[in-house]
């Protein structure tokens, strides 16, 4: 037979609310998810692909709004040149009877919702072996049946499943039930997996596609799908990642010392194309040691830059402070405020105190320093006049 090509994708999580994000960011991310299907359709047509495999979690919950699932279905129905092969995942399992009954009622012939572990013929000589999630927590390896299902010799066997694999781990934890040897034991030419939100190669025949639109810092970069070509039965698949996402998610680690040039280090981490910053979500983790001026400079720089990004969060809870005598002069040359600052510095450096107490004292001293610098900066224009 001739080669067979298709797109492998999963974890679209349509309808995801991003409730932990600020309102403006949440709106941007929700709008990006609404464009996932048009982008997948465009990729399929660009590469001359007629089949799209969705390995579970098309929806973020078992109860997406009618607007979410009806609009998604309408886009797929309109792409009548594509055949869609879909299994429920753990987020939108087959237990979501209302959702999938409504889906089946409005679906067209080019949409194949696979609710049972029954083989289907995708194309002449191409057998699809689906393993839909019947419930949120499977409790068993839903792909085991593939080992015992025979197909004619010389024809392609493609597995479609959702969940974690042994010794690898599920995105949600507790779904670690798929054998990592399934492709070999079931003589699959390719095993299309979903659940892990980043692309992952389990073996040459078994891959997680990752989500087409990234949704967490755990998996950096743009979302993508996989373009898969099977040259023939028993031959190794040819797989290529195709970027489909709109937003970059990136976590950076910045390690500081009291002599470091904080602003230069921060600038070196930022994406090179400033015009694209609005498409980036950044979590900046800062560790090491810093002086009060360094810490304040970093906080001010992040506050100044963050509006240009889709989202920018600074996490400095693991950044320790080195306090200098000059900090006290900045806070107050004398008086009660100076005494309070001296007491905080002494507590921050007192090895006999519990670390939590020392950290509280250090944080208080940093706050006093920032307040004093703010007051000094506010007074500068008056002094100039």
């Amino acid at each position: 037979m001739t080669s067979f090509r298709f797109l492998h994708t999963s974890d679209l999580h349509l309808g995801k609310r991003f409730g932990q994000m600020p309102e403006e960011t949440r709106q941007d991310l929700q709008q990006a998810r609404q464009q996932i299907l048009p982008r997948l359709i465009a990729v399929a047509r660009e590469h001359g692909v007629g089949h799209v495999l969705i390995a579970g979690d098309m929806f973020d919950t078992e109860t997406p709004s009618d607007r979410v699932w009806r609009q998604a279905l309408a886009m797929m129905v309109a792409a009548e040149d594509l055949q869609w092969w879909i299994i429920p995942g753990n987020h939108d399992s087959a237990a979501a009877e209302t959702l999938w009954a409504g889906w089946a009622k409005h679906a067209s012939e080019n949409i194949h919702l696979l609710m049972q572990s029954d083989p289907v013929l995708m194309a002449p000589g191409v057998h699809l072996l689906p393993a839909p999630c019947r419930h949120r927590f499977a409790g068993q390896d839903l792909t085991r049946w593939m080992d015992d299902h025979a197909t004619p010799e010389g024809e392609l066997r493609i597995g479609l499943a959702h969940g974690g694999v042994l010794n690898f781990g599920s995105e949600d934890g507790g779904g670690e039930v798929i054998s990592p040897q399934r492709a070999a034991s079931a003589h699959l030419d390719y095993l299309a997996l979903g659940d892990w939100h980043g692309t992952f190669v389990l073996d040459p025949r078994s891959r997680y596609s990752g989500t087409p639109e990234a949704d967490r810092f755990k998996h950096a970069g743009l979302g993508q799908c996989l373009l898969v070509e099977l040259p023939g039965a028993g031959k190794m698949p040819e797989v290529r990642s195709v970027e489909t996402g709109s937003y970059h998610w990136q976590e950076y680690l910045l390690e500081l010392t009291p002599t470091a040039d904080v602003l230069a280090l921060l600038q070196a981490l930022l994406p090179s194309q400033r015009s694209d910053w609005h498409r980036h979500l950044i979590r900046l983790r800062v560790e090491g040691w810093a002086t009060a001026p360094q810490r304040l400079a970093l906080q001010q720089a992040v506050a100044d830059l963050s509006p240009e990004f889709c989202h920018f969060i600074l996490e400095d809870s693991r950044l320790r402070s080195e306090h200098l005598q000059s900090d006290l002069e900045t806070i107050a040359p004398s008086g009660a405020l100076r005494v309070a600052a001296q007491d905080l510095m002494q507590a921050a450096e007192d090895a006999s105190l519990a670390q939590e107490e020392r950290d509280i004292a250090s944080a208080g001293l940093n706050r006093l320093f920032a307040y004093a610098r703010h007051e000094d900066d506010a007074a500068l224009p008056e002094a100039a006049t």
Side-chain angles (χ1 to χ4, degrees):
M1 65 169 293
T2 59
S3 63
F4 184 72
R5 307 176 78 203
F6 58 91
L7 287 187
H8 167 201
T9 188
S10 69
D11 298 281
L12 282 62
H13 286 271
L14 302 178
K16 188 177 179 69
R17 297 181 181 276
F18 294 97
Q20 78 281 12
M21 290 292 185
E23 181 178 356
E24 289 182 322
T25 301
R26 185 165 63 247
Q27 292 175 355
D28 289 343
L29 298 179
Q30 289 172 346
Q31 290 175 2
R33 301 207 87 69
Q34 294 173 358
Q35 296 304 310
I36 286 177
L37 286 171
R39 288 196 296 272
L40 289 172
I41 292 169
V43 169
R45 288 171 174 166
E46 178 184 352
H47 294 280
V49 171
H51 298 264
V52 182
L53 275 60
I54 300 180
D57 283 359
M58 169 175 274
F59 299 106
D60 192 53
T61 71
E62 295 182 349
T63 56
S65 69
D66 288 349
R67 175 188 174 93
V68 166
W69 73 262
R70 286 291 297 273
Q71 288 185 2
L73 184 59
M75 294 178 200
M76 299 166 77
V77 168
E80 56 187 15
D81 54 324
L82 299 178
Q83 298 293 316
W84 301 86
W85 305 87
I86 307 160
I87 59 169
N90 61 320
H91 278 257
D92 56 3
S93 75
E97 296 179 359
T98 300
L99 166 63
W100 296 122
W103 180 274
K105 178 181 178 180
H106 294 279
S108 57
E109 293 183 356
N110 67 321
I111 299 174
H112 310 274
L113 177 61
L114 309 171
M115 300 291 281
Q116 302 294 329
S117 296
D118 296 325
V120 294
L121 194 66
M122 294 179 63
V126 183
H127 301 266
L128 181 63
L129 283 61
C133 291
R134 301 187 185 95
H135 305 282
R136 182 170 178 83
F137 300 104
Q140 59 181 311
D141 186 348
L142 298 175
T143 67
R144 188 178 295 117
W145 72 276
M146 298 178 185
D147 290 3
D148 301 323
H149 179 76
T151 53
E153 186 176 352
E155 297 189 349
L156 293 173
R157 292 166 60 88
I158 302 172
L160 184 62
H162 185 91
V165 297
L166 298 174
N167 302 319
F168 176 63
S170 167
E171 193 70 36
D172 293 319
E176 305 171 333
V177 294
I178 299 175
S179 167
Q181 286 80 42
R182 184 60 60 212
S185 63
H187 304 288
L188 300 175
D189 293 288
Y190 186 81
L191 177 56
L193 294 167
D195 180 52
W196 191 249
H197 286 206
T199 300
F200 187 87
V201 181
L202 182 60
D203 62 47
R205 297 185 185 278
S206 309
R207 298 183 185 237
Y208 285 86
S209 64
T211 175
E213 182 65 59
D215 57 7
R216 61 195 68 186
F217 291 107
K218 185 176 183 179
H219 306 292
L222 287 170
Q224 53 197 314
C225 68
L226 298 179
L227 175 62
V228 183
E229 182 163 358
L230 302 180
K235 297 181 180 180
M236 283 297 175
E238 299 171 6
V239 185
R240 180 157 66 94
S241 295
V242 180
E243 289 185 342
T244 52
S246 298
Y247 286 93
H248 299 257
W249 293 64
Q250 193 72 51
E251 181 174 274
Y252 296 110
L253 174 63
L254 183 60
E255 297 186 88
L256 296 181
T257 65
T259 60
D261 185 336
V262 173
L263 299 184
L265 291 174
L266 174 62
Q267 192 65 40
L269 288 177
L270 298 178
S272 58
Q273 297 296 324
R274 190 162 188 166
S275 60
D276 291 335
W277 283 5
H278 66 291
R279 293 291 184 183
H280 286 260
L281 294 90
I282 290 178
R283 179 162 64 189
L284 180 61
R285 296 186 182 275
V286 189
E287 298 180 0
W289 291 82
T291 63
Q294 285 177 309
R295 184 187 288 268
L296 183 60
L298 177 62
Q299 292 171 342
Q300 291 177 335
V302 169
D304 181 58
L305 293 171
S306 61
E308 296 189 40
F309 290 84
C310 179
H311 183 64
F312 197 129
I313 183 170
L314 173 65
E315 295 187 0
D316 59 0
S317 60
R318 300 185 65 177
L319 179 63
R320 311 301 292 276
S321 295
E322 179 176 290
H323 299 290
L324 307 175
Q325 193 66 27
S326 58
D327 297 346
L328 299 180
E329 298 298 327
T330 299
I331 293 171
S334 60
L337 191 57
R338 174 60 175 259
V339 172
Q342 287 176 326
D343 289 343
L344 287 172
M345 179 177 284
Q346 181 178 355
E349 298 174 350
D350 189 347
S352 67
L353 295 177
Q355 188 61 55
E356 182 179 3
E357 294 180 79
R358 296 173 65 184
D359 290 343
I360 292 173
S362 181
L365 193 57
N366 286 327
R367 181 166 295 187
L368 281 179
F369 182 87
Y371 176 78
R373 283 287 294 269
H374 175 75
E375 290 295 305
D376 288 345
D377 292 343
L380 286 178
E382 295 183 8
T385 59

